[in-house]
Short mmCIF file of all heavy atoms in Angstrom, two decimals:
data_model
loop_
_atom_site.label_atom_id
_atom_site.label_comp_id
_atom_site.label_asym_id
_atom_site.label_seq_id
_atom_site.Cartn_x
_atom_site.Cartn_y
_atom_site.Cartn_z
N GLY A 101 6.74 9.29 6.77
CA GLY A 101 6.61 8.23 7.76
C GLY A 101 5.74 7.06 7.36
O GLY A 101 5.39 6.24 8.21
N SER A 102 5.39 6.95 6.08
CA SER A 102 4.62 5.76 5.69
C SER A 102 4.87 5.35 4.24
O SER A 102 5.41 6.09 3.43
CB SER A 102 3.11 5.96 5.90
OG SER A 102 2.50 6.52 4.75
N TYR A 103 4.44 4.13 3.97
CA TYR A 103 4.54 3.50 2.65
C TYR A 103 3.82 4.30 1.58
O TYR A 103 4.15 4.23 0.39
CB TYR A 103 3.92 2.09 2.74
CG TYR A 103 4.29 1.14 1.65
CD1 TYR A 103 5.27 0.17 1.85
CD2 TYR A 103 3.65 1.15 0.41
CE1 TYR A 103 5.60 -0.74 0.85
CE2 TYR A 103 3.98 0.26 -0.59
CZ TYR A 103 4.96 -0.68 -0.37
OH TYR A 103 5.30 -1.58 -1.37
N LYS A 104 2.80 5.08 2.00
CA LYS A 104 1.99 5.85 1.07
C LYS A 104 2.83 6.80 0.20
O LYS A 104 2.41 7.19 -0.88
CB LYS A 104 0.94 6.68 1.81
CG LYS A 104 -0.08 5.86 2.58
CD LYS A 104 -1.04 5.16 1.66
CE LYS A 104 -2.27 4.60 2.38
NZ LYS A 104 -1.97 3.49 3.30
N THR A 128 -7.43 7.94 5.38
CA THR A 128 -7.60 7.74 6.82
C THR A 128 -6.52 8.54 7.56
O THR A 128 -6.53 8.58 8.78
CB THR A 128 -7.47 6.26 7.22
OG1 THR A 128 -6.17 5.80 6.88
CG2 THR A 128 -8.49 5.40 6.51
N ASN A 130 -2.75 8.66 6.56
CA ASN A 130 -1.40 8.53 6.00
C ASN A 130 -1.29 8.97 4.55
O ASN A 130 -0.30 9.62 4.17
CB ASN A 130 -0.90 7.10 6.13
CG ASN A 130 -0.36 6.81 7.51
OD1 ASN A 130 -0.02 7.74 8.25
ND2 ASN A 130 -0.27 5.54 7.86
N ALA A 131 -2.26 8.63 3.72
CA ALA A 131 -2.18 9.05 2.32
C ALA A 131 -2.24 10.57 2.25
O ALA A 131 -1.56 11.20 1.43
CB ALA A 131 -3.32 8.43 1.51
N LYS A 158 -1.34 12.78 12.21
CA LYS A 158 -1.51 12.74 10.75
C LYS A 158 -2.15 14.05 10.26
O LYS A 158 -1.79 14.57 9.21
CB LYS A 158 -2.34 11.53 10.35
CG LYS A 158 -1.68 10.20 10.77
CD LYS A 158 -2.49 8.97 10.39
CE LYS A 158 -1.78 7.71 10.93
NZ LYS A 158 -2.44 6.47 10.52
N THR A 197 -7.01 6.21 -3.50
CA THR A 197 -6.32 4.93 -3.59
C THR A 197 -7.17 3.92 -4.38
O THR A 197 -8.38 3.87 -4.22
CB THR A 197 -5.99 4.46 -2.15
OG1 THR A 197 -5.02 3.45 -2.20
CG2 THR A 197 -7.21 3.99 -1.39
N LYS A 207 3.31 1.72 -5.77
CA LYS A 207 3.62 0.92 -4.58
C LYS A 207 4.37 -0.35 -4.90
O LYS A 207 4.60 -1.18 -4.02
CB LYS A 207 2.32 0.63 -3.82
CG LYS A 207 1.81 1.87 -3.10
CD LYS A 207 0.49 1.66 -2.41
CE LYS A 207 0.08 2.94 -1.68
NZ LYS A 207 -1.35 2.98 -1.37
N PRO A 237 0.28 -5.57 5.62
CA PRO A 237 -0.93 -5.10 6.30
C PRO A 237 -1.93 -4.61 5.25
O PRO A 237 -1.55 -3.85 4.35
CB PRO A 237 -0.43 -3.95 7.17
CG PRO A 237 0.82 -3.47 6.51
CD PRO A 237 1.42 -4.66 5.81
N THR A 238 -3.18 -5.02 5.38
CA THR A 238 -4.12 -4.80 4.28
C THR A 238 -5.43 -4.17 4.73
O THR A 238 -6.08 -4.68 5.65
CB THR A 238 -4.39 -6.15 3.57
OG1 THR A 238 -3.14 -6.67 3.10
CG2 THR A 238 -5.32 -5.97 2.39
N GLY A 239 -5.75 -3.06 4.08
CA GLY A 239 -7.04 -2.41 4.31
C GLY A 239 -7.79 -2.36 2.99
O GLY A 239 -8.58 -3.25 2.66
N ASP A 240 -7.50 -1.32 2.19
CA ASP A 240 -8.11 -1.22 0.86
C ASP A 240 -7.52 -2.22 -0.14
O ASP A 240 -8.09 -2.45 -1.20
CB ASP A 240 -7.91 0.19 0.30
CG ASP A 240 -9.01 1.15 0.76
OD1 ASP A 240 -10.18 0.74 0.80
OD2 ASP A 240 -8.67 2.31 1.06
N GLY A 241 -6.34 -2.73 0.15
CA GLY A 241 -5.74 -3.72 -0.76
C GLY A 241 -4.88 -3.13 -1.86
O GLY A 241 -4.63 -3.79 -2.86
N VAL A 242 -4.42 -1.90 -1.66
CA VAL A 242 -3.59 -1.28 -2.70
C VAL A 242 -2.11 -1.62 -2.49
O VAL A 242 -1.41 -1.96 -3.44
CB VAL A 242 -3.81 0.24 -2.76
CG1 VAL A 242 -2.89 0.89 -3.77
CG2 VAL A 242 -5.27 0.52 -3.16
N ILE A 243 -1.66 -1.55 -1.23
CA ILE A 243 -0.25 -1.91 -0.99
C ILE A 243 -0.01 -3.34 -1.45
O ILE A 243 0.95 -3.63 -2.18
CB ILE A 243 0.14 -1.74 0.49
CG1 ILE A 243 0.07 -0.26 0.89
CG2 ILE A 243 1.56 -2.28 0.73
CD1 ILE A 243 0.48 0.01 2.33
N ILE A 244 -0.90 -4.23 -1.07
CA ILE A 244 -0.67 -5.64 -1.39
C ILE A 244 -0.69 -5.87 -2.91
O ILE A 244 0.12 -6.63 -3.44
CB ILE A 244 -1.67 -6.56 -0.65
CG1 ILE A 244 -1.11 -7.98 -0.58
CG2 ILE A 244 -3.06 -6.54 -1.26
CD1 ILE A 244 -1.79 -8.86 0.46
N ILE A 277 -11.13 -8.45 2.90
CA ILE A 277 -10.39 -9.21 1.88
C ILE A 277 -10.15 -10.64 2.36
O ILE A 277 -10.28 -11.60 1.59
CB ILE A 277 -9.09 -8.47 1.49
CG1 ILE A 277 -9.48 -7.19 0.70
CG2 ILE A 277 -8.15 -9.35 0.68
CD1 ILE A 277 -8.33 -6.32 0.26
N SER A 302 -5.23 2.80 9.99
CA SER A 302 -4.83 2.84 8.57
C SER A 302 -5.36 1.67 7.76
O SER A 302 -5.31 1.68 6.54
CB SER A 302 -3.31 2.84 8.43
OG SER A 302 -2.76 3.89 9.13
N ILE A 303 -5.80 0.63 8.46
CA ILE A 303 -6.34 -0.52 7.74
C ILE A 303 -7.80 -0.75 8.12
O ILE A 303 -8.33 -1.84 7.98
CB ILE A 303 -5.51 -1.81 7.97
CG1 ILE A 303 -5.26 -2.03 9.46
CG2 ILE A 303 -4.20 -1.74 7.21
CD1 ILE A 303 -4.60 -3.39 9.78
N VAL A 305 -11.30 -0.20 7.10
CA VAL A 305 -12.16 0.17 5.96
C VAL A 305 -13.40 -0.71 5.95
O VAL A 305 -13.32 -1.91 6.20
CB VAL A 305 -11.42 0.05 4.60
CG1 VAL A 305 -10.16 0.90 4.57
CG2 VAL A 305 -11.07 -1.39 4.26
N GLU A 349 3.43 1.71 13.52
CA GLU A 349 2.04 1.97 13.94
C GLU A 349 1.23 0.67 13.93
O GLU A 349 1.65 -0.34 13.35
CB GLU A 349 1.40 3.07 13.07
CG GLU A 349 1.23 2.73 11.61
CD GLU A 349 0.24 3.68 10.92
OE1 GLU A 349 0.65 4.76 10.50
OE2 GLU A 349 -0.94 3.33 10.80
N SER A 351 -1.28 -0.57 12.33
CA SER A 351 -1.57 -1.25 11.07
C SER A 351 -0.37 -2.10 10.64
O SER A 351 -0.53 -3.23 10.19
CB SER A 351 -1.87 -0.22 9.99
OG SER A 351 -0.74 0.59 9.79
N SER A 352 0.82 -1.56 10.78
CA SER A 352 2.02 -2.30 10.39
C SER A 352 2.24 -3.47 11.31
O SER A 352 2.60 -4.57 10.88
CB SER A 352 3.25 -1.41 10.48
OG SER A 352 3.03 -0.19 9.87
N THR A 377 4.81 -0.55 7.54
CA THR A 377 4.42 0.47 6.58
C THR A 377 4.26 1.87 7.15
O THR A 377 4.14 2.83 6.39
CB THR A 377 3.07 0.05 5.96
OG1 THR A 377 2.22 -0.36 7.04
CG2 THR A 377 3.23 -1.10 4.99
N GLY A 378 4.21 2.01 8.48
CA GLY A 378 3.98 3.34 9.04
C GLY A 378 4.63 3.50 10.40
O GLY A 378 4.72 2.54 11.18
N SER A 379 5.04 4.70 10.71
CA SER A 379 5.76 4.98 11.97
C SER A 379 4.84 4.94 13.18
O SER A 379 3.70 5.42 13.13
CB SER A 379 6.40 6.36 11.88
OG SER A 379 6.79 6.79 13.17
C1 PLP B 1 -2.66 2.58 3.95
C2 PLP B 1 -1.87 1.80 4.89
C3 PLP B 1 -1.96 0.40 4.96
C4 PLP B 1 -2.91 -0.41 4.12
O1 PLP B 1 -2.81 -0.23 2.75
P1 PLP B 1 -4.05 -0.57 1.80
O2 PLP B 1 -3.59 -0.22 0.47
O3 PLP B 1 -5.19 0.28 2.28
O4 PLP B 1 -4.35 -2.01 1.98
C5 PLP B 1 -1.13 -0.25 5.84
N1 PLP B 1 -0.30 0.41 6.65
C6 PLP B 1 -0.20 1.75 6.62
C7 PLP B 1 0.74 2.42 7.54
C8 PLP B 1 -0.98 2.48 5.75
O5 PLP B 1 -0.88 3.82 5.77
#
Side-chain angles (χ1 to χ4, degrees):
S102 89
Y103 198 100
K104 297 288 193 293
T128 61
N130 279 341
K158 300 180 183 185
T197 197
K207 286 176 178 161
T238 302
D240 274 320
V242 176
I243 295 182
I244 201 163
I277 290 179
S302 304
I303 49 172
V305 303
E349 65 163 84
S351 62
S352 312
T377 46
S379 165

